[in-house]
Amino acid sequence: MVAFQSTIALRTGNTMPVLGLGTWQLTRDTADTVRYALELGYRMIDTSGDYGTQPAIAEAIGRCAISRQALFVVTKGRGNRRCLPSHQKNLAELELEYVDLMLIHRPPETGVGKELWEGLIQAKRDSLTKDIGVSNYAVEQIRALAGRTSELPVVNQIEWTPFGYSRHMLDFCQENHIIVQAYSPLTRAERLQDKTLCDLANIYGKTPAQLLIRWNLQLGTVPLPKANRKEHLKENPDVFGFRIGHDEMAELNALNEHYSSLGSLPYA
Ligand code: NAP
């Protein structure tokens, strides 16, 4: 059975933890929160130059005894042209020589981001990142990006819960060895009271948040729950000792209404 320290293979041969820590709006003492998460066993940290959390993540990594190779750091860049400079700034804030995964945060307003993607391909060549990917991309946008550069992303990071996901996206990603990283996997706490979700969670003696995380693991998608509170940080990875049954997975899958806690699913 998959465990907290399990990893998933990327197309490039590198591996990525099956569960990560989100850090958007991590408003409590961020360095202390990340340090505690690392102590609990989290090894993947998701951030962005936009989140304002990178300097505190650097502090937490600097203070922990975990080797750099055992950590998996994800960051994101943006900009209308090449995003290489924004990634260099990210690395400086993180006090790292490389990250494990650099993403285009979202497609630009026009086009699919060919120049941004070329910037990332260059960042990979320069060993600033081990892998490159995208976020908030639709299937057609990924096809167009890959068609022009002949390099596919290893990850598409998108909002992803039983209330809002896309079978078409999952099929496309699986066929092309692209891993879906699930952001806002807990619906930003907005749907945790949903009756069907709560009833299903009760069957396993788990919380609604844990069921949402476990649903991702069984789908082969990689959740990035964020938590300020220590009890949440501890609760969220406690999902490796049970398995959602076939019928219950189907019930969760049937909750899909293309729901987004952020307004809309840009990929659906
Ligand atoms: P989320 O992880 O779905 O939800 C976070 C909320 O859930 C917080 O209010 C948190 O409370 C609460 N929570 C955490 N664990 C809980 C538990 N066990 N029981 C009850 N409530 C719990 O939302 P998110 O932060 O939007 O998404 C996660 C990460 O995805 C982000 O932090 C970021 O790294 C990434 N993301 C990426 C993009 C993108 O465009 N690429 C967009 C959005 C998010 P406390 O904080 O009080 O513990």
Side-chain angles (χ1 to χ4, degrees), residues 7-12 14-19 44 72 101 103 131-135 142 152-158 160 169-170 172-182 216 219-224:
T7 56
I8 194 164
L10 301 176
R11 185 176 356 92
T12 53
N14 295 322
T15 57
M16 180 171 81
V18 292
L19 188 155
M44 175 158 59
F72 194 102
L101 181 61
L103 306 177
D131 280 297
I132 56 177
V134 294
S135 178
I142 297 177
L152 272 172
V154 296
V155 158
N156 187 19
Q157 188 183 112
I158 45 183
W160 192 264
M169 172 65 80
L170 188 61
F172 169 79
C173 285
Q174 286 176 342
E175 279 160 23
N176 290 284
H177 307 286
I178 297 168
I179 305 292
V180 170
Q181 275 190 338
N216 269 289
L219 222 53
T221 53
V222 173
L224 304 169

Side-chain angles (χ1 to χ4, degrees), residues 123-184:
K124 192 175 145 192
R125 275 194 207 113
D126 294 345
S127 303
L128 302 181
T129 184
K130 287 192 168 180
D131 280 297
I132 56 177
V134 294
S135 178
N136 296 303
Y137 270 63
V139 166
E140 289 315 317
Q141 290 169 317
I142 297 177
R143 279 208 180 101
L145 197 64
R148 287 180 198 181
T149 60
S150 72
E151 173 126 7
L152 272 172
V154 296
V155 158
N156 187 19
Q157 188 183 112
I158 45 183
E159 187 173 358
W160 192 264
T161 69
F163 302 102
Y165 70 97
S166 153
R167 177 53 69 176
H168 173 54
M169 172 65 80
L170 188 61
D171 290 344
F172 169 79
C173 285
Q174 286 176 342
E175 279 160 23
N176 290 284
H177 307 286
I178 297 168
I179 305 292
V180 170
Q181 275 190 338
Y183 78 62
S184 306

